[in-house]
Amino acid sequence: MNQSTAKAEGIGAYLLKHMREYGLLFALIAIMVFFQIVTEGTLLKPVNITNLFLQNSYIIIMALGMLMVIVAGHIDLSVGSVMGFVGALAAVMMVSWGLSVWITVPACILVGVAIGAAQGYFVAFWKIPSFIVTLAGMLVFRGLSLWLLAGQSIGPFPKEFQALSTGFIPDFFGVGKPNVTALAAGVIAVAVLIWMGLKTRARNAQYGIEDEPTAFFVIRNGIIAAALMFVIWKLSGFRGLPNVLISMVVLTVIYAFITESTTLGRRIYALGGNEKAAKLSGIKTDRLTFLTFVNMGFLAALAGLIFAARLNTATPKAGFAVELDVIAAVFIGGASASGGTGRVIGAVVGAFIMGVMNNGMSILGIGIDYQQVIKGLVLLAAVFFDVYNKRKQG
Amino acid sequence: MGRPLRKGGGHPFPITTEPRMTALLEMRSITKTFPGVKALDQVNLLVRKGEIHAICGENGAGKSTLMKVLSGVYPAGSYEGDILYDGAVAQFRSIRDSEAKGIIIIHQELALVPLLSIAENLFLGNERAQGGVINWPETFRQTEALLKKVGLNEAPGTQVGKLGVGKQQLVEIAKALSKDVRLLILDEPTAALSESDSQALLDLLLELKAQGVTSIIISHKLNEVRRVADSVTVIRDGTTVSTLNAHAEPITEDRIVRDMVGRDMAHRYPERARRAGEVVFEVSGWNVWHPEHAERQIIRDIGLTARAGEVVGIAGLMGSGRTELAMSIFGRSYGRNISGEVKVHGKRADVSDVSRAIAAGIAYVTEDRKSLGLILEETIQRNTTLANLPAVATSGVINEARETEVAEKYRAAMRIRTPSVFQKVVNLSGGNQQKVVLSKWLFTEPEVLILDEPTRGIDVGAKYEIYSIINDLSAQGKAVVMISSEMPELLGMCDRIYVMNEGAFVGELSAAEATQERIMSLIVTE
């Protein structure tokens, strides 16, 4: 065997072993390319890319919390209802009672935290299965939002509130088109990504941890950087960076950091991996479970506000069945239903896969009936792929 | 050493009957290869009709693989060599094939449905039914007959989950009997059983033998092997090392151990300079009640001391409350209405929850490392630091480089055999997993280590390493409290042994005084 085939085999074996990590990202890119072609270029038009972010922001934000809940070995079925309820509450506070945005937003967030705490209390301290507690919550808050809105839609909202989701970061450089601020942010983001990648590589090399072949590292980062710059370029040709995109990116970075680099995150994985062992290692598992639900409530409230702000109205149907999209995103992203595994980046990419498919199929005019069927099959395929891979390796 | 421990009558040693020479099973030159690994290499096994045949070997020696070949889990054609069963070449393609011939395996993890009754379990998949309708009177009648055979005095309608492990084991055997078993294979049948349940099980095996059932028993407990086995086959590294016949020559444990590890284990317990310092760990007036049945007292007024550099043992039967004692001290992880005082280095220690107990310098290595000690799907590194994460973190942010250094340090010190500390612990052998658990607790820098069955399910070679680690710890001045069901281990390792029975200490023996007989008599005369 000559050297080049040996090397090629090495890369093939590596790719096979890490199929899941690359597969997800490449699946997203492949899906985007596919819809870009079949929609004859509509998918990646600047206005549609902007829309993609606006449409999916609330799912991604909730997926961050859901990932932690699922990693901890639980589930939250109530997030869609809570999101709708918080949106309704915000509408009532601002429109019916005439309260200011600066009072409404913090109050609504607090309500979300309280809801999360209430559900977490029963799950963590009374050991009632989260499936049941949050199923109850789903019904309760669905009903409460209907009651709050009395079956009506309430809107429109003050300008400051709408800015939560439909606002854009102005171009500080004054060029406008293309939006130089957006481009600069993109370049910085790419630079940071590559720098962090190199740092991890250096560390892995130092400790002799198996790492991806150099060619892989270059190609993978090249593709990510190119995709990122492409999207940014398109955005800069429209209205620049949406506010929501910034909050989404900031939240994603924060949660990725918490889950991967802090003792808190590590303990959540331990809790989901083996609760008894975690407890006997001095981890306060009950409190930790409680906190993941509080956090979920916080993010559901935030998502509710962003969702209401985008539609500029609170409707009784807001958030209906959204919990399923959120949960699907987390599972497509590689989390295990039994807890202990899953990554924030995976959940975000999973949410984008769902989002791009929703968007692309809507552009094509595919009926909601087929859309549901296709989304369901994608979820099943993603999880099957996981299980299949695991079995082949094990 | 290793004399069978019996309460009251029990069975005498197997009476040497004329060995029946006809073979029931002969496995000839079995070779089984997995990608990259030769799991079995020319293994031979000869089991005579009506005998109890023990298979011994270290973990990973190939015992389970051999049994999987025999039972058809690895179907004919996926291995080389021949299986002769009842004089004919057998080619089992699945468990169903082998069961049809009366070969039945009872695995270590019992395969019973806890929420179903004994009767339902016995005939699961083999229901006494006509046209899909179960004949309950017939089912119950046959169940009663089978339960009588195995000496289990329970109603057929009893839920299996309500039975203890020992009784569940008997249900498994009854289930095997319902299938007209001719060759009964038991994989570590007594691993989870108490001393008395084990004795009962071994008695039953001897009784079945008298009725003509041939059995193969895989066991680590050599005293039990010696008690019941007519012949012993020792497997090491996938090859047959020896076959010993109890009727031709007396089988000694040392002989089996020698064959298992491939070297003479004259010193099964490493030497240790015994010098006890000041009292490090002191428990007094410790009382614990059952977590659910508030009126049941589990631990009664226990007092215990351990000195620096001392290894203190706690002996007792399964169910005597040893684990409950340890767990209740370790952050009130068991029981309620706990009262009493714990002192570490003379100072009163707050052990009201696990993190406080750890902070007070106490570490507890559980008896069940897989479900209580480790996060199996996580890496060695992450398991090692789990109980003391702040030590590798700065204001809550983990420094992975420092974490890797710590894990590497313990990997080297404990000689954990693994390609890297990024390996998931689920892929390690039992001995190496236990070393990871020990690493985790040593990283909390404890003053006192409570080790609960530290060598359970670990092969002989790895046991020796664990003993050496324990000795190193005591040489560093730590106090070690060791709970074990294996009395030779306590006798070999401890400076002092407390004897526990029904939640109370019934005696305390120094190393010089302690013998298995004295410990047992303290327990039974209580």
Side-chain angles (χ1 to χ4, degrees):
Chain A
M1 199 195 303
N2 65 42
Q3 233 181 352
S4 70
T5 62
K7 201 168 179 186
E9 263 184 23
I11 290 178
Y14 182 84
L15 188 62
L16 221 64
K17 220 170 141 190
H18 297 261
M19 191 77 112
R20 178 72 210 187
E21 294 145 53
Y22 296 110
L24 198 63
L25 201 61
F26 289 137
L28 175 62
I29 292 172
I31 289 171
M32 288 181 82
V33 170
F34 172 77
F35 279 110
Q36 171 72 355
I37 294 167
V38 295
T39 60
E40 289 161 358
T42 312
L43 184 85
L44 294 180
K45 277 199 174 133
V47 58
N48 195 53
I49 293 186
T50 306
N51 257 335
L52 256 176
F53 286 124
L54 292 183
Q55 277 174 3
N56 293 298
S57 53
Y58 64 98
I59 301 225
I60 288 168
I61 286 171
M62 289 199 288
L64 301 174
M66 190 64 79
L67 175 93
M68 287 168 114
V69 169
I70 286 176
V71 164
H74 292 281
I75 194 94
D76 190 338
L77 299 175
S78 72
V79 293
S81 296
V82 172
M83 176 190 133
F85 173 72
V86 169
L89 183 66
V92 170
M93 285 176 80
M94 285 184 298
V95 179
S96 309
W97 301 347
L99 290 172
S100 107
V101 173
W102 310 110
I103 295 177
T104 306
V105 169
C108 286
I109 298 276
L110 276 182
V111 167
V113 167
I115 291 172
Q119 300 196 101
Y121 169 76
F122 289 109
V123 175
F125 301 113
W126 287 95
K127 312 277 175 236
I128 302 175
S130 53
F131 187 91
I132 296 170
V133 171
T134 60
L135 182 64
M138 172 175 145
L139 295 168
V140 166
F141 295 107
R142 168 85 24 232
L144 284 180
S145 36
L146 277 173
W147 170 75
L148 259 183
L149 295 170
Q152 308 285 310
S153 292
I154 296 184
F157 300 129
K159 272 270 170 297
E160 303 101 295
F161 186 71
Q162 290 179 44
L164 254 184
S165 87
T166 49
F168 290 85
I169 306 280
D171 188 356
F172 301 114
F173 298 92
V175 180
K177 266 186 198 190
N179 186 312
V180 180
T181 307
L183 289 178
V187 170
I188 291 171
V190 167
V192 168
L193 272 181
I194 291 176
W195 178 70
M196 278 175 26
L198 286 172
K199 222 177 88 175
T200 315
R201 262 183 97 71
R203 191 182 85 84
N204 287 358
Q206 186 189 342
Y207 289 103
I209 307 168
E210 182 202 19
D211 205 342
E212 58 189 346
T214 313
F216 251 84
F217 178 77
V218 173
I219 294 170
R220 183 173 59 93
N221 280 285
I223 291 176
I224 292 174
L228 207 67
M229 282 319 292
F230 176 79
V231 168
I232 294 279
W233 171 251
K234 291 281 184 180
L235 287 176
S236 72
F238 184 52
R239 297 175 61 188
L241 298 176
N243 288 347
V244 157
L245 178 63
I246 300 299
S247 6
M248 226 164 65
V249 170
V250 169
L251 282 173
T252 303
V253 169
I254 290 175
Y255 278 90
F257 177 74
I258 290 176
T259 51
E260 279 165 36
S261 297
T262 65
T263 53
L264 179 73
R266 180 68 61 79
R267 286 173 178 158
I268 293 176
Y269 282 91
L271 157 68
N274 185 342
E275 183 172 355
K276 288 179 190 158
K279 203 167 188 170
L280 282 173
S281 298
I283 294 171
K284 300 197 166 84
T285 51
D286 297 351
R287 204 171 67 182
L288 210 53
T289 305
F290 176 72
L291 284 179
T292 60
F293 277 91
V294 171
N295 174 62
M296 186 72 249
F298 161 70
L299 289 173
L302 193 62
L305 294 176
I306 287 173
F307 186 76
R310 185 171 78 85
L311 293 185
N312 200 13
T313 174
T315 74
K317 293 213 88 171
F320 186 75
V322 163
E323 60 276 353
L324 302 180
D325 279 352
V326 174
I327 293 167
V330 173
F331 286 136
I332 289 177
S336 147
S338 49
T341 52
R343 294 184 66 198
V344 161
I345 294 300
V348 170
V349 174
F352 270 118
I353 287 179
M354 295 288 278
V356 169
M357 287 197 334
N358 277 336
N359 183 280
M361 289 191 291
S362 298
I363 296 172
L364 288 177
I366 294 175
I368 192 80
D369 42 3
Y370 288 114
Q371 286 198 23
Q372 302 261 13
V373 172
I374 292 169
K375 273 157 64 183
L377 292 177
V378 166
L379 170 62
L380 184 63
V383 176
F384 172 76
F385 186 72
D386 264 1
V387 173
Y388 178 78
N389 259 344
K390 210 168 184 185
R391 186 170 297 183
K392 224 171 47 182
Q393 280 178 16
Chain B
M1 191 160 37
R3 204 176 69 80
L5 306 161
R6 283 192 307 265
K7 270 208 271 189
H11 246 265
F13 261 62
I15 303 148
T16 313
T17 49
E18 193 61 29
R20 283 160 285 188
M21 293 304 292
T22 37
L24 175 66
L25 171 76
E26 200 181 344
M27 297 180 84
R28 280 191 199 150
S29 324
I30 303 289
T31 301
K32 168 80 188 165
T33 330
F34 294 108
V37 194
K38 218 172 207 180
L40 296 176
D41 190 7
Q42 306 268 334
V43 171
N44 295 305
L45 176 70
L46 184 106
V47 181
R48 292 183 187 83
K49 258 181 198 152
E51 74 166 351
I52 297 179
H53 194 110
I55 299 181
C56 297
E58 294 193 297
N59 289 340
K63 296 165 295 181
S64 307
T65 312
L66 187 66
M67 290 305 106
K68 283 180 178 166
V69 165
L70 172 57
S71 58
V73 173
Y74 300 135
S78 72
Y79 56 87
E80 292 159 43
D82 291 316
I83 299 178
L84 279 116
Y85 181 68
D86 225 2
V89 174
Q91 301 219 316
F92 301 129
R93 265 171 224 94
S94 66
I95 295 192
R96 219 163 234 283
D97 281 3
S98 60
E99 282 199 350
K101 298 272 182 173
I103 300 177
I104 296 189
I105 294 199
I106 297 178
H107 292 280
Q108 209 174 337
E109 282 89 23
L110 299 179
L112 296 170
V113 187
L115 289 177
L116 294 184
S117 69
I118 296 178
E120 284 165 319
N121 267 293
L122 280 190
F123 296 103
L124 198 60
N126 186 21
E127 289 85 358
R128 304 291 107 140
Q130 267 165 352
V133 180
I134 293 176
N135 182 347
W136 286 113
E138 177 67 13
T139 302
F140 274 67
R141 202 183 54 72
Q142 290 192 16
T143 302
E144 269 169 9
L146 286 167
L147 291 185
K148 206 167 170 190
K149 245 185 179 167
V150 297
L152 179 58
N153 193 17
E154 292 282 345
T158 312
Q159 239 184 43
V160 161
K162 295 200 171 135
L163 304 175
V165 193
K167 288 182 174 175
Q168 291 193 13
Q169 190 77 259
L170 294 180
V171 173
E172 279 275 19
I173 293 177
K175 189 173 170 182
L177 294 179
S178 80
K179 292 175 187 164
D180 298 323
V181 61
R182 295 189 56 209
L183 177 58
L184 182 64
I185 302 165
L186 298 125
D187 191 356
E188 297 278 349
T190 59
L193 299 192
S194 69
E195 196 75 37
S196 57
D197 281 350
S198 301
Q199 294 309 320
L201 184 86
L202 297 176
D203 288 346
L204 175 62
L205 280 188
L206 293 171
E207 214 167 292
L208 291 176
K209 171 178 141 180
Q211 292 167 22
V213 176
T214 311
S215 14
I216 295 177
I217 168 170
I218 297 175
S219 182
H220 278 133
K221 297 194 182 167
L222 302 184
N223 57 341
E224 295 176 359
V225 166
R226 209 169 62 110
R227 174 163 168 224
V228 298
D230 298 296
S231 25
V232 179
T233 294
V234 181
I235 295 178
R236 184 173 75 226
D237 301 331
T239 58
T240 319
V241 179
S242 57
T243 297
L244 312 169
N245 189 335
H247 306 292
E249 48 171 339
I251 298 173
T252 63
E253 285 176 46
D254 284 341
R255 172 68 203 274
I256 300 177
V257 169
R258 195 167 67 224
D259 288 346
M260 276 166 71
V261 298
R263 66 194 133 101
D264 210 327
M265 291 284 284
H267 305 287
R268 255 206 266 180
Y269 303 98
E271 285 300 321
R272 173 163 56 95
R274 299 186 183 212
R275 50 166 194 277
E278 52 162 315
V279 173
V280 173
F281 184 54
E282 199 175 351
V283 177
S284 53
W286 199 252
N287 286 290
V288 178
W289 271 263
H290 194 278
E292 276 125 45
H293 309 291
E295 73 291 347
R296 267 177 65 194
Q297 191 172 359
I298 299 297
I299 302 296
R300 293 161 203 276
D301 197 32
I302 275 183
L304 170 151
T305 56
R307 294 167 179 278
E310 199 181 27
V311 178
V312 178
I314 302 180
L317 303 175
M318 195 96 45
S320 58
R322 297 168 302 173
T323 296
E324 289 78 0
L325 170 66
M327 296 262 282
S328 62
I329 292 171
F330 191 62
R332 305 206 172 148
S333 302
Y334 173 87
R336 57 153 75 172
N337 289 337
I338 297 169
S339 63
E341 197 178 53
V342 177
K343 281 185 181 167
V344 177
H345 280 301
K347 271 192 300 199
R348 207 192 151 125
D350 178 4
V351 294
S352 56
D353 70 24
V354 175
S355 52
R356 290 193 178 112
I358 293 173
I362 303 173
Y364 170 61
V365 174
T366 71
E367 59 174 338
D368 187 346
R369 65 178 162 271
K370 280 190 181 161
S371 71
L372 300 177
L374 291 166
I375 316 240
L376 290 172
E377 289 291 329
E378 284 282 18
T379 59
I380 294 171
Q381 168 172 329
R382 288 177 164 221
N383 272 287
T384 304
T385 56
L386 188 62
N388 194 14
L389 276 176
V392 291
T394 318
S395 46
V397 179
I398 294 171
N399 179 340
E400 286 203 42
R402 209 192 305 163
E403 191 182 16
T404 307
E405 271 168 34
V406 167
E408 285 290 352
K409 188 184 105 189
Y410 281 103
R411 174 173 86 131
M414 297 277 175
R415 281 187 278 148
I416 300 170
R417 274 177 278 281
T418 169
S420 92
V421 293
F422 304 99
Q423 189 74 226
K424 285 183 180 176
V425 293
V426 69
N427 297 327
L428 301 179
S429 70
N432 283 310
Q433 285 182 349
Q434 189 71 322
K435 290 181 198 167
V436 176
V437 178
L438 283 168
S439 304
K440 173 171 94 171
W441 288 113
L442 292 186
F443 185 50
T444 66
E445 296 180 353
E447 300 298 319
V448 188
L449 273 121
I450 307 175
L451 309 174
D452 198 350
E453 305 282 3
T455 63
R456 171 177 289 175
I458 290 178
D459 58 55
V460 178
K463 272 184 183 173
Y464 189 85
E465 288 185 276
I466 300 283
Y467 297 144
S468 303
I469 293 169
I470 294 173
N471 284 351
D472 287 349
L473 293 176
S474 81
Q476 291 164 28
K478 314 249 186 228
V480 177
V481 178
M482 183 165 158
I483 297 170
S484 177
S485 294
E486 288 182 39
M487 262 186 245
E489 176 175 285
L490 288 177
L491 296 172
M493 290 294 298
C494 297
D495 300 307
R496 219 154 29 91
I497 298 174
Y498 289 103
V499 182
M500 191 167 183
N501 192 33
E502 292 180 356
F505 281 172
V506 292
E508 183 185 339
L509 301 166
S510 68
E513 305 168 312
T515 61
Q516 292 201 29
E517 288 75 14
R518 289 190 71 162
I519 293 174
M520 274 321 287
S521 71
L522 276 172
I523 292 173
V524 293
T525 53
E526 166 66 5

